[in-house]
């Protein structure tokens, strides 16, 4: 069992940056494939970024490529999402998700076993 807690969301102007954190308690998070998803008001949840448990495979949705970076610090049991050049369309609640020992950068939400509660990101124009 692992518990995930996101933080780092907030209000930022377009063009600004935020760094989201996903802190895990319980089992060693370094052996988890992790993904970030987001859900904007009135829209379905969508995939943002992911990597496999080894960190050797990454995947990003097209709209964030070159702007967002997923990373992890195993010593801190934390995964990050660095978001640069933010746009108003990035406004959403961001969730991290994890699944144990997957060697894929998973884009499907239903393939993750654990989810955080979300952190809200608002980008003003």
């Amino acid at each position: 069992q692992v518990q995930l807690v996101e933080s780092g969301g907030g209000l930022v102007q377009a063009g600004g940056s935020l760094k989201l954190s996903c802190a895990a308690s319980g089992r060693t998070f370094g052996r988890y494939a992790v993904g970030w998803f987001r859900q904007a008001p009135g829209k379905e949840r969508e995939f943002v970024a992911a990597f496999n448990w080894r960190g050797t495979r990454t995947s990003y949705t097209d709209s964030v490529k070159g702007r967002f970076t997923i990373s992890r610090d195993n010593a801190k049991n934390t995964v990050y999402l660095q978001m640069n050049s933010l746009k108003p369309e990035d406004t959403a609640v961001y969730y991290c998700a994890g699944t144990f020992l997957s060697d894929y950068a998973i884009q499907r939400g239903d393939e993750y076993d654990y989810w955080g509660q979300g952190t809200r990101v608002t980008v003003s124009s």
Side-chain angles (χ1 to χ4, degrees), residues 55-73:
T56 56
R57 296 176 179 174
T58 58
S59 179
Y60 296 91
T61 192
D62 286 346
S63 63
V64 308
K65 285 180 181 177
R67 299 189 299 123
F68 290 12
T69 303
I70 188 171
S71 64
R72 74 194 315 162
D73 184 336

Side-chain angles (χ1 to χ4, degrees), residues 8-20 38 64 66-69 81-91 94 121-125:
L11 174 64
V12 63
Q13 288 188 330
S17 297
L18 283 174
K19 187 173 185 178
L20 306 184
R38 64 187 180 187
V64 308
R67 299 189 299 123
F68 290 12
T69 303
L81 185 68
Q82 177 68 47
M83 306 187 297
N84 299 327
S85 302
L86 283 162
K87 304 175 181 180
E89 50 264 44
D90 295 318
T91 294
Y94 283 71
V121 172
T122 303
V123 184
S124 63
S125 57

Side-chain angles (χ1 to χ4, degrees), residues 106-125:
I106 303 169
Q107 299 186 11
R108 288 174 55 108
D110 59 4
E111 295 187 24
Y112 287 94
D113 299 311
Y114 303 101
W115 289 82
Q117 84 292 344
T119 185
R120 185 175 301 275
V121 172
T122 303
V123 184
S124 63
S125 57

Side-chain angles (χ1 to χ4, degrees), residues 4-83:
L4 306 179
V5 178
E6 301 96 335
S7 62
L11 174 64
V12 63
Q13 288 188 330
S17 297
L18 283 174
K19 187 173 185 178
L20 306 184
S21 298
C22 173
S25 60
R27 299 180 68 177
T28 303
F29 201 35
R31 302 183 77 185
Y32 280 70
V34 176
W36 284 95
F37 294 78
R38 64 187 180 187
Q39 187 166 19
K43 295 187 177 181
E44 294 187 352
R45 184 181 65 195
E46 66 170 348
F47 167 76
V48 176
F51 52 20
N52 61 339
W53 77 271
R54 302 174 196 270
T56 56
R57 296 176 179 174
T58 58
S59 179
Y60 296 91
T61 192
D62 286 346
S63 63
V64 308
K65 285 180 181 177
R67 299 189 299 123
F68 290 12
T69 303
I70 188 171
S71 64
R72 74 194 315 162
D73 184 336
N74 289 337
K76 295 183 178 180
N77 253 14
T78 301
V79 169
Y80 303 99
L81 185 68
Q82 177 68 47
M83 306 187 297

